[in-house]
Every structure is written in structure tokens, then in C-alpha cells.
Amino acid sequence: MNKENAITPVFPVGKGKEDVVIRIKDLKKRFGDNHVLNGFNMELYQGENLVIMGKSGSGKTVMIKCLVGLMQPDSGSIEVMGKDITKLDRKALDLLRADIGFLFQGSALYDSMTVRENLEFPLRRHKERFRDRADTETLVLEALKSVGLSHTTELMPAELSGGMKRRVALARTLIMNPRIILYDEPTSGLDPITAKEIIELMRIIQARYRTSALIITHDVDCARVISDRMILLVDGINYAEGTYRELQRSADPQVKAFFK
Amino acid sequence: MYGIKGISGKVAGFFRLSGELSYFAGRYFTEVWKPPFEIRELLHQCYNVGNRSFPLVGITGFIIGLVLTLQTRPTLQEFGAVSWMPAMVGISIVREIGPVVIALICAGRVASGIGAELGSMRVTEQIDAMEVSGTNPFKFLVVTRITATTLMVPVLVIIGDVLALYGSFLIEHLKGNVSFQLYFNQVFDSLEFSDLIPATVKTFFFGFAIGLVGCFKGYYCTKGTVGVGTAANTAVVAASMLIFILDFIAVLISDIFYEL
Ligand SMILES: Nc1ncnc2c1ncn2[C@@H]1O[C@H](COP(=O)(O)OP(=O)(O)O)[C@@H](O)[C@H]1O
Ligand SMILES: [Mg+2]
């Protein structure tokens, strides 16, 4: 028991409730009769890795899309770095989004563009942000290097393997130097070995860039390795919360089902 | 399927589609004037439209010219009116056959291409990725494509017309030994400004319709790879319908002016 407590990931020191970067309150969203989110609550603290687990189709992607304004919630409030994102105008929303990296489930690389053009794409709208930084070329190479793919600049996405696509997509979010990264199932569709590599890469990135991360997954291994804290999304609500160890020991059958 | 319910459902669907398309067109006209103008992407799309349809338009136009001339020749000969051939072919191609047939070819080639392209970008979350990286996907993807088809379809129609007339000339030259100069002098003598203006103006509308429908179907593509196929297919059907409706309206309007 004691021994287990000792390996429990320690909640980062000095990162308490005062450092909330994302706060979701009573989020509701339905599509016709399909009630997807029924009052979901969540807080993400500065510098932590929060994993949200839920079955496929439980509304994880819907939740994360509401978070960046890609979908409008029916009710509830979403605060990102102190700003209610449902009340921002286009310009303010774009500025806020520049601080949030989003890794999409299927990588979502623009398949008519080369890897280089993919990475340059987010920069084109945020020239002010990078005026006093290195030029685009250096940024692109730097970002690709940090995911170990410096040699791929001129390739098309179709020429990359699934794992490489995921890395390039990660580089595309890193190039903006985000303060928060949202990962939508970063390991889905990858073989176990490649999945491990991606998880390892995520850990390195967390350490280097000191971002806060919200990781959506149904992959228990991924959750175990990367999570500081976890929330289980069941029936559209935050059903259970705690560290991996705590949840793993839970007697609740719904929670247990995740750790089979 | 053929009951009253089925028919009323179809009619309701038609009006819903008309409403949604009008809204989409309205959004195009509000966004097209606002910077940033995405000139590079616009030129790229113009090139795409031209490149996709040029071979087909050229070959079809040429063959239409050949066939039309070969088939009408015996009839005209019977009445001793072969010398009317250039005038007849010129008017029918420039006023009606050229614009409609070539617009239909573009509907098959370009509207389906755009539907499939945007549809797969929607399904693989590339459109969402654009949105979160600060680029307005409606401006970048939709406005550029609709503008490109509006500008390029008229150009393609002119190319098609020219090749059709050239095809017709070849037959006349082989069968009737008509010289190039004589043939085209007669064509242009027969064509009046009142033929050329409506014929050209309507091709802009055809181009607009093709881009509009293709983008609309793709942009609101429903989930899944099946959705992409449906988007491409329905884009062709709807664009072709729209072309015929617009052509009918154009004929009505020019008829009114003719009466005056
Ligand atoms: N745009 C949409 N329109 C209608 N239903 C949707 C839409 N997006 C998601 N849904 C529905 O919401 C539910 C949750 O989807 P999603 O968030 O993608 O699940 P997951 O947890 O696997 O990411 C599913 O039942 C899905 O059918
Ligand atoms: Mg999902």
C-alpha cells in the first residue's frame, strides 16, 4: 500500500487551484435526441498532464471541440486562461487559439501541401507573434527536429507512415509555441510500438516546453505513463476523478471496466 | 416511394437545399470583399479548374463541332442551304450548346472534384485544423474555389466554342472546300452582340453555380468516407440541375429583351 503510494505520480508542487488554465463548468451538448454531454465539469491546472478517458462515442472529441470553439455548447461555461471562449469575437478567439495546440485524432495534415507547407500554415496568420523570432525556415526545422523528422520537409503527407504523420502534426502544433496542448487520441490507429514512441515524445515535449496538456484517450497504457491526474467521462459527465493508481483501485464497476 | 409523402418530401428537400445554398452564397458575398484575399490560393485554384477540365472540354468541343456539322449537312444540302452552315453552327454553338455542354462537363469534373476534396478535408478534420490555426477556412477554401470557377468556366467555354467552330470548319473544308477566312467571316457576320453578351454572362453564373454547389456539398459533408462519395455525387447532380435552371432563366430574360 505504502509502496504503491510512493510511485503515485506526485501532483506538481506549487500548482494548485489558483493556477487553473482551463475550467469547464456544467457543459451540455446534444445532437437532436443524442445527449452527448450532460453537465461535464473539469479543471486543468498549469503544467499538469490531465488524461480524460471515455469509451468510443462518449463525447470526448465533442468536449475538446467545444473547448476551442469548433463547436458551440448548448449550455455551460468554458474558461481558457481566464477568458470565456463562448463570448469571444473572432479576433480574440484567434489570438487565444494561438496559445492552444490541438493534435487531431487522425493527424489532420493538409494533404495537398508538403510537410514544410503544413508547418508554415499556422504561422501565416500570426506574423506579429513571430516578428522578433527566428525566420520561418528556422522555426520549421526546429519543430521538425524536436519530433525527429528533419529530413521530411519536402515530402507529402501521403508519403508518410501513420506514426510519422502524427509526429508532423505534433510539430505543427509545437511551432506555435503553445501554452496548452490538447491531444485527441494521440495513439489511436498506431501500432503498439509506434504508440509508445509517440507517448515518449509527448513526455519529452511536456518537459521541454512546460506546457499544460489535456490528453484524450481510451488507451490505458498511455494514461498510465503520461497522466498526473485522470477524469473518466461516462454518460456525458465527469464520472470519476483521481490519479491512475486511485482509479485503478476503485471498486466501482464502471471505473473497473476501463482497467481490464 | 412514389406516394404523396415521398413526393412532398422530395419537394421539401428541394426547397431546403435552395435555402441552404442561398445562405451559403450570401456568406460568400459577405466574405469575398474582406481581406485577407488569399491571392495565391485563388490562382492555384484557377489553375486547378483549368487543368482539370481543359482536355475534356477541348476534345468535347471539337467533337461537337464535327458531329453537328456532319449531321446537319445532308439536311441543309437538301434545301440547297449549305452556305448557311457557318451561321447556323456559329449561333447554335455560341449561344446554347457551347455554354451548356461545357458547363455540364465542368459540373462533372470540377464540382465533383471540389465536393470530394472539401468533403475529405471535413471528414479528416483538416478544416477544423485550419480554423484553430487562425485561418478562416471559408475564405481560404470556399471563397477561392467559387471565385476560381466563376472566372474559369467562361474561359473554358470560350476555348470549347473555338474548338467546336474549328471542328465544324474542318468538315466544311473537307466536304465543301470552304476556306478558313470565308468560314469564320460568315460565323462572325451571323453573330450579333445580342448573342454574345447573354451567352457570356450566363457562363459566369454557370461557373458560380458549379463552385457554389461543389463547395457546399463538400463543406457540410457528413461523417465518414461514404459521406465523401455522396458529396461528390450529389454535387454533380445538383450543379447540373442548377445549370439547366439558370440557362432557362437566361433564355427567358434575353427573350424579354429581344421583344423590346
Ligand atoms: N457533428 C455531429 N453531428 C451529430 N452528432 C455528432 C456530431 N459529432 C459527434 N456526434 C455524436 O456525438 C457522440 C460523441 O462523439 P465523439 O465526441 O466523436 O466521440 P469520442 O468520444 O469517440 O470522441 C457520437 O454519438 C457522435 O455520433
Ligand atoms: Mg473522438
Side-chain angles (χ1 to χ4, degrees):
Chain A
M1 185 82 184
N2 259 335
K3 200 176 155 213
E4 267 194 309
N5 273 340
I7 354 176
T8 301
V10 191
F11 198 57
V13 188
K15 293 183 176 153
K17 303 251 174 207
E18 66 277 9
D19 294 315
V20 175
V21 286
I22 296 178
R23 175 180 283 128
I24 295 181
K25 269 193 197 149
D26 206 26
L27 184 65
K28 289 183 183 157
K29 176 78 184 171
R30 67 188 176 95
F31 299 98
D33 287 338
N34 183 5
H35 293 258
V36 179
L37 297 173
N38 305 305
F40 181 78
N41 291 286
M42 184 206 94
E43 277 172 356
L44 176 71
Y45 304 122
Q46 172 62 46
E48 80 168 327
N49 292 338
L50 173 61
V51 167
I52 306 222
M53 272 221 304
K55 281 185 292 192
S56 146
S58 59
K60 305 183 296 293
T61 302
V62 169
M63 187 276 290
I64 209 173
K65 283 193 175 169
C66 288
L67 196 54
V68 288
L70 284 171
M71 281 184 182
Q72 297 309 314
D74 298 332
S75 67
S77 74
I78 303 169
E79 260 178 46
V80 180
M81 292 181 282
K83 297 191 181 99
D84 185 340
I85 85 126
T86 53
K87 296 199 174 74
L88 293 179
D89 62 12
R90 172 116 217 162
K91 214 166 178 185
L93 187 59
D94 277 346
L95 269 180
L96 186 63
R97 280 170 173 171
D99 279 326
I100 309 172
F102 198 133
L103 187 73
F104 287 88
Q105 196 162 350
S107 302
L109 296 180
Y110 309 124
D111 41 33
S112 61
M113 303 180 195
T114 64
V115 167
R116 175 202 302 278
E117 287 163 339
N118 262 281
L119 264 72
E120 283 170 353
F121 198 86
L123 299 177
R124 59 203 290 284
R125 282 286 157 267
H126 295 281
K127 294 241 165 66
E128 321 81 52
R129 200 180 156 98
F130 296 101
R131 192 175 294 144
D132 48 350
R133 292 195 42 190
D135 61 346
T136 355
E137 178 69 19
T138 330
L139 284 176
V140 169
L141 289 179
E142 209 173 82
L144 278 177
K145 206 171 136 204
S146 65
V147 297
L149 286 178
S150 328
H151 56 289
T152 60
T153 43
E154 301 312 321
L155 295 182
M156 299 301 283
E159 298 170 282
L160 305 174
S161 70
M164 287 159 91
K165 276 187 194 152
R166 208 56 58 92
R167 282 164 189 260
V168 172
L170 192 50
R172 189 176 65 181
T173 63
L174 290 178
I175 204 166
M176 292 295 290
N177 205 5
R179 295 174 55 194
I180 306 170
I181 304 183
L182 311 175
Y183 297 91
D184 191 357
E185 312 224 6
T187 59
S188 77
L190 301 178
D191 61 87
I193 296 171
T194 316
K196 274 214 183 74
E197 286 170 11
I198 296 288
I199 295 168
E200 196 45 43
L201 188 59
M202 284 162 67
R203 276 159 53 109
I204 294 171
I205 282 161
Q206 296 306 99
R208 186 185 313 158
Y209 291 78
R210 296 216 165 72
T211 51
S212 319
L214 186 64
I215 300 132
I216 282 177
T217 187
H218 56 226
D219 176 353
V220 183
D221 289 330
C222 173
R224 179 170 48 80
V225 178
I226 207 144
S227 67
D228 294 323
R229 197 161 62 89
M230 291 174 62
I231 292 179
L232 297 187
L233 172 56
V234 179
D235 299 330
I237 58 163
N238 42 322
Y239 186 80
E241 232 175 294
T243 61
Y244 182 87
R245 296 273 158 193
E246 285 167 5
L247 292 178
Q248 197 190 26
R249 287 195 301 252
S250 165
D252 187 297
Q254 292 257 45
V255 177
K256 268 189 160 162
F258 282 98
F259 294 92
K260 285 247 177 71
Chain B
M1 190 177 166
Y2 296 110
I4 292 288
K5 250 197 175 152
I7 293 170
S8 69
K10 286 251 157 66
V11 172
F14 175 77
F15 281 111
R16 188 174 327 114
L17 179 65
S18 314
E20 287 168 351
L21 268 181
S22 314
Y23 175 79
F24 202 69
R27 195 167 159 199
Y28 168 82
F29 284 112
T30 51
E31 302 253 12
V32 69
W33 316 111
K34 291 186 214 152
F37 292 112
E38 313 287 5
I39 300 294
R40 253 189 67 179
E41 183 63 15
L42 173 64
L43 294 177
H44 183 216
Q45 291 309 323
C46 286
Y47 172 78
N48 271 353
V49 173
N51 194 35
R52 261 183 209 159
S53 338
F54 176 73
L56 209 54
V57 164
I59 291 169
T60 318
F62 186 66
I63 289 175
I64 285 175
L66 295 180
V67 170
L68 194 62
T69 312
L70 274 175
Q71 288 200 329
T72 21
R73 213 159 194 289
T75 320
L76 288 183
Q77 234 161 8
E78 225 170 277
F79 295 102
V82 182
S83 61
W84 282 89
M85 184 65 88
M88 196 220 77
V89 172
I91 290 179
S92 53
I93 283 180
V94 171
R95 271 179 64 161
E96 192 57 33
I97 301 179
V100 172
V101 170
I102 286 155
L104 287 176
I105 289 171
C106 291
R109 201 79 185 109
V110 178
S112 66
I114 292 177
E117 191 184 9
L118 293 195
S120 72
M121 289 188 78
R122 167 64 71 194
V123 169
T124 58
E125 298 180 310
Q126 290 175 49
I127 294 182
D128 287 335
M130 253 178 211
E131 173 96 44
V132 294
S133 67
T135 293
N136 178 348
F138 192 91
K139 281 210 73 115
F140 190 82
L141 299 172
V142 175
V143 170
T144 53
R145 278 171 176 75
I146 295 180
T147 310
T149 55
T150 310
L151 297 176
M152 290 306 287
V153 169
V155 174
L156 288 164
V157 168
I158 291 172
I159 293 174
D161 284 355
V162 167
L163 283 165
L165 291 174
Y166 187 71
S168 167
F169 156 74
L170 278 187
I171 298 291
E172 282 299 283
H173 183 68
L174 290 175
K175 296 224 164 186
N177 215 2
V178 179
S179 79
F180 186 83
Q181 196 163 13
L182 177 65
Y183 184 87
F184 280 94
N185 272 343
Q186 290 198 16
V187 168
F188 287 114
D189 280 347
S190 67
L191 285 174
E192 300 195 0
F193 233 45
S194 58
D195 296 321
L196 290 176
I197 298 287
T200 312
V201 169
K202 74 181 175 189
T203 57
F204 283 95
F205 284 90
F206 292 168
F208 182 78
I210 289 166
L212 182 76
V213 173
C215 287
F216 173 79
K217 290 290 182 182
Y219 203 70
Y220 294 117
C221 179
T222 43
K223 283 260 162 191
T225 35
V226 184
V228 178
T230 316
N233 268 324
T234 51
V236 178
V237 176
S240 311
M241 285 281 289
L242 207 53
I243 286 167
F244 284 119
I245 294 172
L246 286 172
D247 190 47
F248 179 62
I249 295 172
V251 169
L252 280 185
I253 292 175
S254 47
D255 195 48
I256 291 169
F257 277 100
Y258 200 70
E259 302 261 304
L260 288 180

